[in-house]
Amino acid sequence: MTVNAPATSTRSEALFARAKAVTPGGVNSPVRAFRSVGGTPRFIAHADGAYLTDADGARYVDYIGSWGPMILGHNHPAVRAAVAEALLGGTSFGAPSEREVLLAELVTRLTGAERVRFVSSGTEATMSALRLARGVTGRKFILKFRGNYHGHADGLLVEAGSGLMTTSGELGAAAPSSAGVPEEYAALTLVSEYNDPAALDSLMAERGHEIAAVIFEPVVGNAGVLIPTPEFLAALHRVRDSGTLLIADEVMTGFRLSLNGATGLLGLEPDLRCWGKIIGGGLPVGAYGGRAELMEYVSPSGPVYQAGTLSGNPLAMAAGLATLGALEANPGIYQQLDRYTGQLAAGLRSAADRAGQPLSINRVGSMLTAFHQGVPDGSIATYQQAAASDTAAFAHFFQSVLAQGIYWAPSQFESIFVSAAHGDLELERTLAAAEQAYQTGGTL
Ligand SMILES: *Cc1c(COP(=O)(O)O)cnc(C)c1O
């Protein structure tokens, strides 16, 4: 064996090179490109339970779970069987079918929403819910919070979260977070600071009569995990005094933090809610819903147009039904996820302490972010506080644990997601890898 043998290129490297020749940046969604942590993204060959296997045959304990949907673990037998059965009956009808009714009945039962409309992504869900709010109220403006991400519709790419925090750097005040978004669109989106009830109250006092809806992440995942304070939640509910609709974007938290999402966990009373991710069990599904009097404004019942060629797709409905059905049949999963993630948080805490690495952990149930900065656990509450994290220290952690077979989210400003397939063995491996990562990380 020669000492200076050139590193042989991996299949992931070869695939990434080919991908870059035919797809912008080599990926179909930006954070997958590993830009903020460096290195070559792993191309995944298959996934099972808590594990991803890449194109070179390396296995990883997965903490992304397809960015949230895979709460039961990958390749779950019940989901696979449901999709396989649906597949035998044809892949798309362009006409209503029974599975859409079954999933709508299940979602309304679990969430208390009276009507639900299925779309194919979280982006479509939030975009459509905002159109509905504008249609109902006859108002033009919407209000969102710094660092909250609601998908990539024009009017929502203003002060948006993770993918933009790590690709565009610092964001300007209420400026579009993307090229191609006209200032005129961005001007219809007002922005306030998350967890700042006084700022929200004063903005509402001044402009409330013009604001159709306030949209928010009830637990933020897209700036890293941020937890709303009770005072902030109270201020959110007060926006309705101005005739403004309150829209909880539960695309990430829905069916993850409880069977009724953050709404159930935190006792929220939103007018409209948006879902995605888990609702499709790994296939493309989004949804929005709420009280009948509001939702009946949607076409063909009402004047707010919204449509979709593949909406209610039978394979996607089957995956959603199997996933939500499994969660409903086994609600103990939520305690199991909470226990695992709590042990993970405690283990990271003590490993970082032993190594003298600054770390601040935010966690709700199976959502967790370990920010690389030396403030107490649970104290990071705003986008600006999150943005003060040491991203170089995070990149070291990420690469170190990746090399040890742990696939963490490739950005400091993301939540990780635990699944029901994660058990003692995975926890032990993860904490051993984290120990090594912190011990070898530079101290500040
Ligand atoms: C992922 C996400 C979206 C966008 O969903 P897509 O299916 O990626 O379009 C919207 N809102 C929140 C809170 C999300 O986490």
Side-chain angles (χ1 to χ4, degrees), residues 308-319:
T309 301
L310 292 176
S311 295
N313 174 269
L315 302 189
M317 295 292 106

Side-chain angles (χ1 to χ4, degrees), residues 123-171:
T123 292
E124 278 181 272
T126 57
M127 184 181 85
S128 307
L130 287 165
R131 182 180 302 141
L132 170 60
R134 283 171 160 141
V136 168
T137 61
R139 300 173 180 179
K140 278 189 201 151
F141 289 88
I142 58 165
L143 190 155
K144 74 179 287 293
F145 297 95
R146 276 194 116 195
N148 283 199
Y149 177 70
H150 303 292
H152 65 88
D154 281 335
L156 289 167
L157 283 179
V158 176
E159 306 265 354
S162 161
L164 298 144
M165 286 173 84
T166 51
T167 57
S168 323
E170 207 48 47
L171 303 171

Side-chain angles (χ1 to χ4, degrees), residues 40-102:
T40 305
R42 301 301 188 267
F43 278 65
I44 303 305
H46 54 91
D48 205 64
Y51 290 87
L52 296 174
T53 303
D54 74 14
D56 295 285
R59 264 179 115 217
Y60 305 90
V61 178
D62 177 28
Y63 284 99
I64 303 189
S66 188
W67 298 94
M70 313 313 299
I71 191 168
L72 300 177
H74 293 284
N75 203 10
H76 189 277
V79 179
R80 196 175 59 226
V83 174
E85 191 200 323
L87 184 58
L88 296 174
T91 58
S92 187
F93 310 136
S97 62
E98 186 175 4
R99 286 189 186 85
E100 295 163 74
V101 184
L102 292 171

Side-chain angles (χ1 to χ4, degrees), residues 120-124 126 149-152 217 222 249-252 276-277:
S120 299
S121 67
T123 292
E124 278 181 272
T126 57
Y149 177 70
H150 303 292
H152 65 88
E217 285 186 69
N222 289 295
D249 177 354
E250 291 238 41
V251 171
M252 187 180 283
K277 299 192 169 119

Side-chain angles (χ1 to χ4, degrees), residues 300-311:
S301 290
V304 175
Y305 193 71
Q306 186 269 304
T309 301
L310 292 176
S311 295

